[in-house]
Amino acid sequence: MPNHLYDHLFAPHAGSSKTLFTRAGQPDLSYDDALRMAAQLAHVLVSHGVQAGDRVVVQAPKTVEMVALYIATVQTGAVFLPLNTAYTRDEVAYFVGDAAPRLLVCDPNRAEELTTIAGDATLLTLAADGSGSLTADLAAQPTRFDTVDRGPGNLAGLLYTSGTTGRSKGAMMSHDNLLSNARSLVDLWQITADDRLIHALPIFHTHGLFVALNTTLMVGAQVYFMPGFDLDAMLSELPRSTLMMGVPTFYTRLLSDERLTADLCANMRLFISGSAPLLAETHEAFTARTGHRILERYGMTETNMITSNPYTGDRRAGTVGLPLPGVEVLVCDDTGTLVPQGEIGMVEVRGPNVFQGYWQMPEKTAAEKRANGFFMTGDLGQMSEDGYLTIVGRAKDLIITGGYNVYPKEIEDILNDIPGVLESAVFGIPDPDFGETILAAIVPDAASNLTDDTLATQVASKLARFKHPRRYIRMDALPRNTMGKVQKNVLRDQHA
Ligand code: MCA
Ligand code: AMP
């Protein structure tokens, strides 16, 4: 049966003995190996009752089996819902409750803890070595699977992204949202079967899953697949590779090591950065050291990639480049009216890349998508005369730490519930490694003897480690403007 994403991204590689994944200390995996594994996993999914439209939640270590599970989910017509491995039980409980999945796949180490929140979902396991109840019976499964009929508008992915209200919303990504974006990026970045990508990003977000894998798999490129970012491993793979996609932290960490030289990068064709602002000085330092001009691009979970600096042409440091072909980008005021060229406004976007809406939240979707189809990103931008977009700030209250997004409201809600806290304000300050790091200003009740340990323990019981404030600052009152709104810019300036 026709399956829009599978047919165009994966099916053409059936039978190909070309190496897809190379990994440290593990055998290579060919395209055909991966597709046979995906077909077997599709049979496993179906044996557990997975049907078209069902959600498959995965919070598991980064493995080739997890990539095959993504492909298998697409084949069965189900919806892939990957989760950050750092999420706590409470966080996973929210996603499972909201998405009501048929399956919940997790690390065996966490199975006991997550059984209690699985609800109606069947719980299966997948470990860092690929073992677990998901794959236990794989060899017995057929290596071919007849894909379930799915058209361009059907859902392929559901990716949760924190909302300004503090609770995450599931961004519904259709087969064509993903396919059209992958096609544009392959074209724009001139990715071919001769490329070898260093893959060190997590595969539970758009960047590592869709941007990095959909593009390289589409053209039949090779992928050096790392379980996570490892500076030594990356440096040793650079001479054998042609392509790297990373968050700015990857680049500052590479630059902090003297082994990074132009010679080491002589075989590299392209370095791409995104998910957080790349400082112009990082861009320039990287060029000075390696001769390569990092190509910065800009996107969002809800929209996939929106703009990119050009492959041939001027890669302008500090800008996120030009709108992708077929994607319209406007810089507007609050009413959606264009601001005069060169002035700062809200970035709005429309195109085949833009998501289908928030899962079971039509009112949230309507609040962020205009009637004319433009999606309001919450980013503040400025468009140059020749069409280059610069992200100058955010209208949304968001901290980006090491490429992970953290919405202060989610942390403030937890802090405010702790006895002895009158109010709190969470904000980001510049950090040389993660770009931004999280601080919390607390107004304690004078009568309480609240310790930092109490605050940290409460936060730790609920939120993933990367969301924890690295410091608590006590204040008599939060700085507020005449409207009574907390002035986070004042806090940032005071504590940067
Ligand atoms: C790990 N830690 C962090 C972060 N990552 N703290 C703050 N921010 C982070 N991003 C903490 C851990 O909890 C731990 O804390 C300590 O740092 C070391 O953990 P470790 O796992 O060793 O960290 P790492 O391996 O050095 O990881 C840092 C990293 C990683 C490589 C920057 O976070 C990463 O791969 N980030 C990429 C995120 C990404 O893919 N974003 C794309 C989103 P402690 O020691 O105190 O316990 S998609 C997106 O944004 C859009 C669509 C787009 O445009 O792409
Ligand atoms: P998310 O959808 O949660 O992964 O995060 C998307 C947000 O990351 C965007 O709205 C931007 O604020 C930010 N972002 C992504 N890429 C860039 C970039 N190249 N420069 C600045 N901000 C970026």
Side-chain angles (χ1 to χ4, degrees):
M1 295 269 218
N3 181 297
H4 192 64
L5 193 59
Y6 186 85
D7 292 348
H8 292 97
L9 271 191
F10 310 122
H13 305 298
S16 163
S17 59
K18 182 172 176 193
T19 298
L20 163 55
F21 290 119
T22 57
R23 297 164 290 171
Q26 284 176 288
D28 289 353
L29 204 74
S30 73
Y31 270 86
D32 196 48
D33 294 337
L35 290 178
R36 287 153 66 98
M37 190 197 289
Q40 291 174 313
L41 282 169
H43 285 286
V44 173
L45 296 187
V46 170
S47 75
H48 286 285
V50 170
Q51 296 179 1
D54 284 346
R55 277 75 57 212
V56 174
V57 171
V58 187
Q59 189 196 35
K62 180 179 172 183
T63 55
V64 296
E65 286 78 8
M66 182 165 159
V67 178
L69 180 59
Y70 157 54
I71 300 172
T73 306
V74 171
Q75 278 180 286
T76 60
V79 182
F80 194 64
L81 196 171
L83 292 178
N84 193 323
T85 46
Y87 288 150
T88 61
R89 178 186 170 280
D90 280 14
E91 289 169 302
V92 176
Y94 170 75
F95 300 118
V96 169
D98 194 58
R102 172 76 57 190
L103 284 189
L104 167 59
V105 180
C106 73
D107 190 320
N109 296 329
R110 299 199 60 194
E112 200 181 323
E113 182 195 6
L114 297 184
T115 306
T116 53
I117 55 101
D120 292 337
T122 302
L123 190 124
L124 296 175
T125 57
L126 178 61
D129 64 0
S131 67
S133 57
L134 176 77
T135 51
D137 199 26
L138 217 54
Q141 304 297 330
T143 53
R144 282 184 56 83
F145 179 86
D146 289 329
T147 52
V148 171
D149 190 1
R150 293 278 93 179
N154 287 124
L155 297 191
L158 188 61
L159 270 78
Y160 276 77
T161 171
S162 307
T164 42
T165 48
R167 266 307 184 191
S168 286
K169 300 166 284 191
M172 299 190 285
M173 310 310 300
S174 71
H175 280 236
D176 200 56
N177 287 149
L178 303 182
L179 183 65
S180 64
N181 211 236
R183 280 182 165 145
S184 295
L185 299 177
V186 160
D187 254 23
L188 209 63
W189 298 340
Q190 301 189 13
I191 302 176
T192 71
D194 294 334
D195 274 310
R196 183 180 193 264
L197 171 81
I198 302 182
H199 194 300
L201 289 161
I203 53 172
F204 43 70
H205 280 312
T206 297
H207 196 166
L209 184 64
F210 300 143
V211 180
L213 287 179
N214 284 352
T215 53
T216 47
L217 267 63
M218 174 180 269
V219 300
Q222 205 182 92
V223 177
Y224 181 73
F225 200 67
M226 297 163 69
F229 180 86
D230 175 326
L231 186 57
D232 290 333
M234 187 170 287
L235 287 165
S236 76
E237 288 305 318
L238 282 171
R240 291 187 267 285
S241 306
T242 62
L243 186 60
M244 208 277 279
M245 299 186 195
V247 294
T249 301
F250 286 17
Y251 292 100
T252 49
R253 288 188 182 179
L254 282 170
L255 276 166
S256 71
D257 196 301
E258 284 177 1
R259 289 172 293 172
L260 180 80
T261 60
D263 277 351
L264 199 77
C265 301
N267 196 55
M268 286 292 291
R269 182 176 71 77
L270 183 60
F271 288 94
I272 300 173
S273 176
S275 306
L278 181 77
L279 294 177
E281 56 253 42
T282 308
H283 193 282
E284 278 143 23
F286 201 83
T287 305
R289 182 89 72 85
T290 66
H292 284 275
R293 290 187 70 73
I294 299 171
L295 183 153
E296 187 174 6
R297 57 62 176 177
Y298 157 67
M300 246 182 115
T301 302
E302 290 92 331
T303 63
N304 294 300
M305 297 305 99
I306 303 171
T307 68
S308 170
N309 271 279
Y311 183 70
T312 45
D314 189 10
R315 295 182 201 163
R316 224 171 271 173
T319 82
V320 293
L322 308 155
L324 299 192
V327 175
E328 298 166 89
V329 176
L330 301 177
V331 177
C332 298
D333 65 15
D334 290 348
T335 67
T337 308
L338 271 182
V339 299
Q341 193 268 310
E343 287 190 12
I344 294 172
M346 188 90 76
V347 179
E348 299 195 1
V349 54
R350 181 168 73 178
N353 53 324
V354 176
F355 73 140
Q356 307 300 300
Y358 293 115
W359 174 253
Q360 291 181 338
M361 288 187 182
E363 66 303 332
K364 284 263 173 234
T365 307
E368 298 190 24
K369 222 179 195 181
R370 294 193 190 280
N372 61 7
F374 275 90
F375 172 71
M376 294 171 256
T377 62
D379 291 311
L380 297 173
Q382 200 173 20
M383 191 75 89
S384 75
E385 223 165 38
D386 54 355
Y388 279 71
L389 183 70
T390 301
I391 303 296
V392 298
R394 300 170 200 137
K396 53 193 172 191
D397 192 13
L398 166 70
I399 300 166
I400 306 184
T401 161
Y404 288 149
N405 289 11
V406 178
Y407 277 86
K409 174 88 165 57
E410 193 183 12
I411 305 162
E412 290 160 2
D413 283 348
I414 290 170
L415 292 173
N416 294 344
D417 277 350
I418 300 174
V421 173
L422 294 180
E423 55 176 353
S424 64
V426 169
F427 57 99
I429 57 162
D431 179 82
D433 187 30
F434 287 133
E436 285 183 280
T437 197
I438 306 170
L439 302 189
I442 301 284
V443 179
D445 181 342
S448 80
N449 50 2
L450 197 61
T451 64
D452 284 4
D453 267 359
T454 309
L455 297 166
T457 307
Q458 280 299 317
V459 172
S461 69
K462 299 201 165 68
L463 294 180
R465 177 82 185 114
F466 69 88
K467 298 180 188 171
H468 298 187
R470 299 297 149 158
R471 195 148 54 87
Y472 293 95
I473 299 150
R474 280 133 206 288
M475 306 186 86
D476 294 332
L478 298 176
R480 289 183 186 275
N481 65 15
T482 48
M483 309 284 286
K485 194 170 170 333
V486 176
Q487 293 169 300
K488 294 205 173 171
N489 56 329
V490 172
L491 290 170
R492 274 192 286 271
D493 292 347
Q494 281 171 352
H495 298 284

